[in-house]
């Protein structure tokens, strides 16, 4: 199980409401603690940053 670490304490993206896809060519489904499936760990990291660390890695695969 990969350990997804995001520097959410260093960056405040709570103001950002758009959609970001920093890894558009990587399809590696991952489940967050918000019970949502993300296309890859990069997308989960962006959501973690936006939520100030409230959303974290739950497990590999779809939720």
């Amino acid at each position: 199980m990969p350990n997804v670490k995001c520097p959410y304490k260093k960056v405040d993206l709570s103001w950002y409401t758009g959609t970001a896809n920093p890894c558009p060519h990587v399809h590696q489904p991952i489940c967050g603690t918000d019970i949502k499936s993300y296309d890859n760990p990069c997308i989960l990291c962006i959501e973690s940053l936006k939520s100030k660390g409230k959303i974290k890695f739950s497990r590999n695969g779809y939720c």
Side-chain angles (χ1 to χ4, degrees), residues 9-54:
K9 292 180 182 177
K10 296 179 183 177
V11 179
D12 180 11
L13 290 178
S14 60
W15 55 270
Y16 185 74
T17 58
T19 301
N21 192 355
C23 305
H25 301 294
V26 177
H27 183 72
Q28 181 186 353
I30 192 168
C31 181
T33 54
D34 59 346
I35 317 299
K36 289 186 182 179
S37 298
Y38 297 94
D39 285 341
N40 58 54
C42 296
I43 303 299
L44 175 62
C45 184
I46 294 295
E47 292 304 315
S48 180
L49 288 167
K50 287 169 48 179
S51 72
K52 297 183 180 181
K54 292 178 184 173

